[in-house]
Amino acid sequence: MSLRARILLLIGFATLAPAVVLGLLLFEERDRDIEDAKHSLGALAKFAADNLDDKVKGTVQLLHGLSRAPDLDTSDRFACSAFLAGVLARYPQYTGLLTIMPNGDLYCDSLRTNRKLNVSARSYFIQSRASSEPAFDVVIGGLTGIGVLQVAYPVRDGQGALKYVLLASLNLSDYARDFVAASQYSTFEMLIWDRKGTVIAHKPDAGDGKVAGREFARSELFRFVESPAPGAAAELPGLDGVPKVWARGVVPEPRGGGVRITLGLPREVLVANADRVFRDAMTVLIAISLLVLVAVSYVAESSIRRPVRLISSVAGRVGAGELSARIGAPYPRGELGDLMAVVDRTAGAVQAQRAEIEARSLDLQRANRALRMLSGINTLIVRARDRDELFKEACRVAVEVAGFRMAWIGLVDRASGQLVPVASAGMGDELLTAVGDFYALPTDGEKGAVARAMHEKRPVVSNDFATNSPLSLRAMHLEVGNRSGAVFPLIVADVAIGLLALYASERDFFHDEELKLLTEVAADVAFAIDYIEKDKKLDYLAHYDALTGLANRELLHGQLAQHMRNAGRGGKKLALFLIDLERFRTINETLGPPAGDALLRQVAEWLTRVAGDSSLTARVGADQFAVILPEIREAGDLVRLLEQTIDVFLRHPFYLNESTYHVAVKVGIALFPDDGDNADTLFKNAGAALKQAKARGDRFLFYKHKMTDGAAGKLTLENQLRQALDKGQFVLHYQPKVNLKSGKVTGAEALIRWIDPRTGLVPPLRFIPILEETGLIHEVGRWVMHQALKDYLRWRAAGLCAVRVAVNVSPLQLRRRDFIAEIEKALANHADAGNGLELEITESVIMEDVNNSISTLRAVRAMGIPIAIDDFGTGFSSLSYLAKLPVDTLKIDRSFVLDMTAGPQGRALVSAIINLAHSLKLNVVAEGVETVEQSRLLRLLACDEMQGYSISEPVPVDVFEAKFLTKRTSGVRLLERSEMANLACHPT
């Protein structure tokens, strides 16, 4: 710490302590003023709520008065509307006045729009019908788009019957506008909410005009609104994200209909007066403190700091090498004068010691120069990773660290045999050019000594250029001040690849000890050259693919990370494409590995040419490549670019073994920052998208988060499911279908179950999605169909009354081209089994590709196999398509069966489905029937069949045979009415 700082610190403690205390008191006073301002804002919010409550009360009184007006009790709608229009003109705080008939229809309207409106489903109307008290609700007007508080007043006759409902729409937007306009702040903001967190009114209007009508229930501001203690204030971000001080008010229930009010002011506006008072007081306090500080500082400067500064200046000059510097007598009395005398005596002693050191340094300098260079070169070798950097820094070390006058390094050009200077230090351009023009190997005459040094691999020395020197350009060296020099060959693998030349300004510099050390320096430089070349090769192999020359996965990770940082700073998006070559293994095995390698090189060249920059491409697998797109402008542009590029690639010819081939690709795409904020995550997600694209057969696929969720668990489950299929762990359970009129068991649905030896019976919902995702559904679905046909034939062979078995079809099965062939093969393997099979296909699967589904289902029907639409009512079928579909049965989804007993609407919907199916000559099966009441209603609605737990849960095949199949001689098993009535408790 400086003397001035110490003095000022001492003065500060003495003079500024009171100022600090006063400043703290001012801070406390300011905080009290701010809290008062917040309480005032809270009181204002409470006033706004109370004022709105008064307006609601006035509205109720107005409607009470209107209920007695004879002009409303008239059959003339136009006269009624005209009367209400006149009332509305007197009370502009309302957006409209209406009368609503007991059935919910609009009768007359103050706006006289003659519109048709039914409000029977609205909460305020329902409350009005059920009570004689007014009802309240907060909504956004359907026609006006204005936030209003609906006040519904029921008008009843003398017997208490509802004649009509008077409805007044109190304009909350105008209320908020008038309240804000009347406030003293131009930046005042008012929000009116409903109890669900929807903004009903917002003044002043937001810039985008989209705040009113939007729900912000999860916003921090609405959570503050819903908290207790109305009238309290808090600093929170508003809906635009800008922090403000907010106060809340709640209109009492039920008149407010759940209205919440928040008032907001920027903090700087709210506390402006407190800040102004605080600033004025602090300004005065600081000014007084500074005046005291300046006065005391002046006294300390003149009596203390100036003498000390003089002592410091002389000491600094002596320390910098000006040993003759002195303070000089006379010295002032006291401690400072004594210190000045000591400084002068010390400077004289240091000057004498320096003279003695300089007398001895010349000898040490020559002895240490070579050692310094050796040390500097060895330090350089440790950190140098580039040959040019090594040469340049070695020459610099020789001149700046070791003290040589000049240094240069030359390498032999293997093609021309020329010795080419590659680095130098201390040399002028003219001399360096002369050296470059002069040296050539092999050579004769004056240059023969250097050639001999290179050939014999030993140094060549000249300790006096003034005499006959074996080194070249002697005259030029003498002219620039060089008096001695030496050339040291650089030897790598016993071959002289260049030389190191050093020049000194002294004669007789290079003696045996120095030559030994400098020869070691040259050997170290040669070792570094060899090491760097090998390191470069290793570095290339570590970061580049040796076959294609593209970056490998590790290098691309670093490049991708850099591009992601650039995109992040610019607020841009980036895409990573993982590209997999199709049929590469076939090409490699058919044409041979050389042809496969040639294909990879040609693909790499094509990708580099298309990308425009080799740093954007990489080979990351045996037949996989990666490409970075550093910037994405529009998602649509990216899709078009992908489609166009893939089409061009498909048309591009690849020449292998003198033949032309075309190759297809699959592409997985991950986007930054949407799909990952680091290179590892982006690679992983692009790989997941590529895997999904290959599984689904898509040409390209963008990553979705669900692709990797639970990937590890799915992988384990996939492996277990493959083993389950191989080890016969899958079984079929059957659930019977019963005719509602006769009670006959008419069929059964085959449902797959997995008996895991580790955990027991596994729910289908846990493993069926994995079967579909991995493609195992094709093999498992094939097994289900064959097993169902085997069971059916076994029933027939055992003399049982075999019923038709329904088998569910997966979307992936239906989309396969060989689906029909699979069915034909199954029927061929199980002769006479066609009558025992039915296919169930969900409605949503059929509607994915209606035209293709129609053609496929017609082919199935042509084989005599009936088709049922499963989960009917959930797939948004078009009636025009339903009439065209070649199906035999509609299965009503269990959700409709459950709703059937909840009310008349559910029953009406089920009845409509049954009537529609019967009109199309289709059989109807109700799924998920669980209660006696459901089965009774279905029988009344003329449903044909039912299926569900009220009959039986899905049971193993032996249980199904024992309970529901009878011998053919005794007829079909029938369920008595008494049995059906007790099905829910005692399944047959």
Side-chain angles (χ1 to χ4, degrees):
M1 182 182 293
S2 67
L3 181 61
R4 171 178 285 177
R6 294 174 186 272
I7 293 172
L8 290 177
L9 184 60
L10 181 61
I11 295 170
F13 275 118
T15 60
L16 298 182
V20 172
V21 173
L22 290 175
L24 292 175
L25 292 176
L26 290 175
F27 266 110
E28 292 179 0
E29 183 64 26
R30 174 179 174 272
D31 290 341
R32 285 194 293 271
D33 290 344
I34 291 174
E35 287 303 315
D36 290 343
K38 288 182 178 180
H39 284 300
S40 297
L41 183 63
L44 189 59
K46 185 176 184 303
F47 170 75
D50 293 342
N51 188 39
L52 181 59
D53 184 46
D54 291 340
K55 289 184 177 294
V56 175
K57 292 177 181 177
T59 302
V60 172
Q61 293 175 356
L62 174 64
L63 295 180
H64 176 73
L66 291 177
S67 67
R68 301 172 180 274
D71 300 84
L72 297 181
D73 196 6
T74 176
S75 59
D76 188 347
R77 293 180 59 188
F78 297 101
C80 177
S81 295
F83 174 73
L84 290 179
V87 175
L88 181 64
R90 294 177 57 193
Y91 298 96
Q93 64 266 38
Y94 302 106
T95 61
L97 297 169
L98 312 175
T99 60
I100 309 297
M101 300 306 292
N103 63 354
D105 287 337
L106 172 65
Y107 182 69
C108 56
D109 180 0
S110 63
L111 299 180
R112 294 185 283 188
T113 59
N114 293 326
R115 53 180 169 157
K116 292 183 178 181
L117 177 66
N118 186 283
V119 298
S120 59
R122 299 188 185 178
S123 60
Y124 60 80
F125 182 77
I126 295 173
Q127 295 176 35
S128 297
R129 291 187 59 184
S131 171
S132 297
E133 296 298 323
F136 309 90
D137 195 10
V138 186
V139 297
I140 299 290
L143 288 178
T144 62
I146 296 173
V148 297
L149 194 156
Q150 302 280 32
V151 181
Y153 188 89
V155 180
R156 300 181 181 276
D157 58 18
Q159 286 73 38
L162 182 66
K163 295 170 61 180
Y164 54 87
V165 175
L166 272 171
L167 180 66
S169 301
L170 183 60
N171 192 328
L172 297 180
S173 296
D174 283 353
Y175 178 76
R177 181 198 62 205
D178 295 341
F179 196 91
V180 169
S183 70
Q184 60 178 319
Y185 300 107
S186 60
T187 55
F188 205 64
E189 183 176 356
M190 185 174 189
L191 289 166
I192 299 180
W193 313 68
D194 67 5
R195 63 170 60 89
K196 297 179 181 178
T198 302
V199 176
I200 302 302
H202 178 215
K203 297 298 176 182
D205 293 332
D208 57 6
K210 296 181 179 179
V211 172
R214 292 172 54 190
E215 181 179 326
F216 296 92
R218 297 185 179 179
S219 67
E220 188 176 358
L221 182 56
F222 187 69
R223 289 197 295 272
F224 163 72
V225 172
E226 290 294 271
S227 63
E235 188 170 352
L236 299 168
L239 300 183
D240 56 359
V242 178
K244 290 185 178 180
V245 178
W246 295 90
R248 58 185 170 235
V250 178
V251 180
E253 300 284 0
R255 289 189 303 275
V259 172
R260 279 85 168 145
I261 294 177
T262 51
L263 302 179
L265 269 178
R267 189 178 189 280
E268 60 271 17
V269 175
L270 185 67
V271 303
N273 185 60
D275 283 344
R276 179 181 55 77
V277 173
F278 175 75
R279 284 195 302 270
D280 293 344
M282 286 298 294
T283 301
V284 173
L285 180 61
I286 292 171
I288 294 173
S289 300
L290 288 177
L291 287 175
V292 174
L293 183 63
V294 169
V296 178
S297 298
Y298 177 77
V299 175
E301 175 76 15
S302 60
S303 60
I304 300 175
R305 188 170 176 273
R306 284 180 185 174
V308 173
R309 188 168 53 189
L310 179 59
I311 296 171
S312 176
S313 174
V314 172
R317 289 163 61 192
V318 172
E322 189 182 346
L323 301 181
S324 60
R326 301 289 187 274
I327 298 173
Y331 305 118
R333 295 180 179 181
E335 291 85 351
L336 289 178
D338 295 341
L339 181 59
M340 290 178 180
V342 170
V343 169
D344 281 351
R345 288 195 299 272
T346 303
V350 171
Q351 187 175 19
Q353 290 176 355
R354 175 64 63 85
E356 183 180 355
I357 292 171
E358 287 178 351
R360 299 179 182 180
S361 64
L362 186 59
D363 295 335
L364 293 174
Q365 180 179 1
R366 180 176 292 181
N368 291 330
R369 185 181 295 180
L371 286 173
R372 290 200 305 271
M373 184 172 180
L374 180 61
S375 176
I377 292 296
N378 287 336
T379 302
L380 171 64
I381 289 172
V382 172
R383 62 179 177 83
R385 290 294 178 268
D386 181 80
R387 194 176 68 171
D388 293 338
E389 178 191 3
L390 172 69
F391 295 155
K392 180 180 177 182
E393 286 298 300
C395 293
R396 185 193 64 79
V397 167
V399 174
E400 297 180 7
V401 177
F404 286 97
R405 186 174 181 80
M406 293 181 185
W408 65 277
I409 294 176
L411 293 181
V412 176
D413 184 3
R414 296 178 181 178
S416 64
Q418 294 284 334
L419 182 65
V420 181
V422 294
S424 66
M427 299 181 68
D429 294 339
E430 183 180 355
L431 181 58
L432 185 61
T433 302
V435 169
D437 294 340
F438 188 80
Y439 282 103
L441 296 177
T443 180
D444 298 321
E446 189 178 8
K447 294 170 283 186
V450 175
R452 188 171 65 256
M454 299 286 291
H455 179 68
E456 297 177 1
K457 304 166 191 170
R458 64 177 181 82
V460 174
V461 180
S462 175
N463 270 322
D464 189 357
F465 283 154
T467 62
N468 189 17
S469 172
L471 298 180
S472 59
L473 304 175
R474 179 170 60 89
M476 293 189 70
H477 283 297
L478 287 171
E479 184 178 348
V480 298
N482 293 334
R483 295 294 180 265
S484 60
V487 175
F488 301 86
L490 303 176
I491 301 171
V492 175
D494 205 31
V495 176
I497 64 167
L499 61 83
L500 168 65
L502 300 172
Y503 303 93
S505 58
E506 304 96 332
R507 294 181 180 88
D508 298 322
F509 176 83
F510 297 96
H511 297 288
D512 291 342
E513 195 64 32
E514 287 79 13
L515 285 174
K516 181 180 179 181
L517 292 172
L518 293 174
T519 301
E520 187 176 344
V521 168
D524 288 348
V525 172
F527 168 78
I529 293 172
D530 186 41
Y531 172 78
I532 288 174
E533 290 299 324
K534 291 179 180 178
D535 187 62
K536 280 188 174 181
K537 186 174 182 180
L538 289 174
D539 183 70
Y540 179 84
L541 294 176
H543 294 91
Y544 291 90
D545 175 46
L547 177 63
T548 63
L550 296 180
N552 61 13
R553 180 186 291 268
E554 180 181 355
L555 179 58
L556 190 73
H557 263 260
Q559 294 169 339
L560 176 60
Q562 181 60 45
H563 285 296
M564 291 169 71
R565 286 192 292 271
N566 294 338
R569 286 193 293 267
K572 301 175 181 177
K573 289 191 175 184
L574 171 150
L576 173 66
F577 307 95
L578 284 188
I579 303 167
D580 183 89
L581 301 181
E582 295 192 40
R583 299 190 303 120
F584 175 77
R585 182 176 179 181
T586 303
I587 292 173
N588 212 38
E589 293 176 349
T590 305
L591 303 181
D597 292 346
L599 174 61
L600 293 174
R601 283 192 292 268
Q602 293 180 48
V603 170
E605 293 172 1
W606 189 90
L607 288 175
T608 302
R609 186 168 64 254
V610 171
D613 186 350
S614 61
S615 68
L616 300 176
T617 58
R619 183 186 177 202
V620 295
D623 58 346
Q624 286 189 4
F625 296 84
V627 178
I628 302 171
L629 183 60
E631 180 180 347
I632 303 172
R633 291 184 173 86
E634 297 291 341
D637 295 341
L638 180 59
V639 172
R640 286 192 293 273
L641 174 65
L642 271 168
E643 292 174 342
Q644 294 169 3
T645 305
I646 292 174
D647 289 340
V648 172
F649 184 85
L650 287 172
R651 294 194 300 270
H652 181 76
F654 294 98
Y655 301 101
L656 309 174
N657 295 352
E658 299 181 355
S659 299
T660 301
Y661 292 86
H662 295 274
V663 182
V665 294
K666 300 292 185 189
V667 185
I669 309 104
L671 304 180
F672 167 82
D674 302 344
D675 303 330
D677 57 2
N678 60 72
D680 287 334
T681 303
L682 212 62
F683 256 98
K684 181 186 71 173
N685 293 338
L690 175 60
K691 179 180 178 182
Q692 191 77 354
K694 292 167 67 176
R696 290 172 43 172
D698 294 323
R699 296 204 302 176
F700 61 87
L701 201 62
F702 286 85
Y703 170 75
K704 295 181 180 178
H705 290 287
K706 64 181 180 181
M707 292 178 178
T708 54
D709 289 347
K714 288 182 180 179
L715 188 61
T716 302
L717 191 57
E718 176 185 351
N719 184 50
Q720 293 174 350
L721 289 170
R722 291 185 186 278
Q723 295 180 12
L725 185 61
D726 295 337
K727 296 179 180 180
Q729 296 172 1
F730 289 115
V731 297
L732 289 184
H733 284 193
Y734 292 89
Q735 187 175 37
K737 289 185 279 188
V738 173
N739 185 286
L740 279 162
K741 291 182 178 179
S742 65
K744 181 196 297 185
V745 177
T746 56
E749 181 177 357
L751 300 166
I752 189 168
R753 296 293 186 266
W754 173 27
I755 303 177
D756 186 353
R758 293 171 294 274
T759 61
L761 200 65
V762 180
L765 290 178
R766 184 162 179 255
F767 67 88
I768 288 179
I770 303 300
L771 294 176
E772 294 183 338
E773 182 178 336
T774 59
L776 279 173
I777 193 65
H778 299 297
E779 299 176 52
V780 175
R782 189 182 305 119
W783 176 87
V784 169
M785 187 177 298
H786 283 268
Q787 186 61 42
L789 291 174
K790 284 182 182 178
D791 289 341
Y792 172 79
L793 291 175
R794 185 168 50 78
W795 296 338
R796 288 183 55 182
L800 299 176
C801 185
V803 294
R804 191 182 297 275
V805 178
V807 174
N808 291 285
V809 176
S810 162
L812 294 178
Q813 291 176 276
L814 189 65
R815 285 197 291 265
R816 277 182 67 110
R817 296 179 179 178
D818 60 351
F819 177 65
I820 300 301
E822 286 285 349
I823 299 176
E824 291 174 346
K825 184 177 179 181
L827 295 180
N829 292 338
H830 305 284
D832 300 325
N835 294 330
L837 181 65
E838 180 181 32
L839 298 186
E840 286 191 8
I841 305 172
T842 60
E843 182 185 15
S844 57
V845 171
I846 295 175
M847 298 309 296
E848 284 180 359
D849 187 352
V850 176
N851 293 327
N852 181 64
S853 298
I854 290 175
S855 62
T856 302
L857 297 182
R858 283 176 179 169
V860 173
R861 281 281 298 279
M863 289 184 271
I865 299 175
I867 298 168
I869 297 181
D870 199 8
D871 299 337
F872 182 78
T874 62
F876 306 102
S877 291
S878 167
L879 293 180
S880 61
Y881 281 118
L882 182 61
K884 298 177 183 178
L885 289 175
V887 297
D888 305 274
T889 300
L890 292 185
K891 298 190 73 175
I892 303 175
D893 185 74
R894 66 185 305 274
S895 62
F896 297 110
V897 175
L898 291 175
D899 292 339
M900 185 175 59
T901 56
Q905 293 181 339
R907 290 193 296 275
L909 184 57
V910 173
S911 176
I913 294 174
I914 294 172
N915 292 334
L916 171 65
H918 286 168
S919 67
L920 296 175
K921 310 298 184 184
L922 300 179
N923 188 48
V924 184
V925 178
E927 288 184 298
V929 180
E930 297 179 356
T931 67
V932 174
E933 179 63 12
Q934 290 171 353
S935 60
R936 185 185 66 81
L937 288 175
L938 289 169
R939 194 180 304 110
L940 292 175
L941 294 176
C943 182
D944 300 308
E945 298 174 11
M946 70 175 181
Q947 173 184 346
Y949 277 45
S950 64
I951 303 171
S952 172
E953 63 183 356
V955 294
V957 61
D958 54 345
V959 177
F960 180 80
E961 294 171 4
K963 286 189 175 183
F964 299 105
L965 298 182
T966 58
K967 288 290 184 179
R968 214 178 276 130
T969 55
S970 60
V972 179
R973 175 76 168 97
L974 298 180
L975 299 181
E976 299 296 334
R977 285 296 177 91
S978 59
E979 290 180 292
M980 293 183 66
N982 295 314
L983 283 177
C985 300
H986 306 288
T988 304

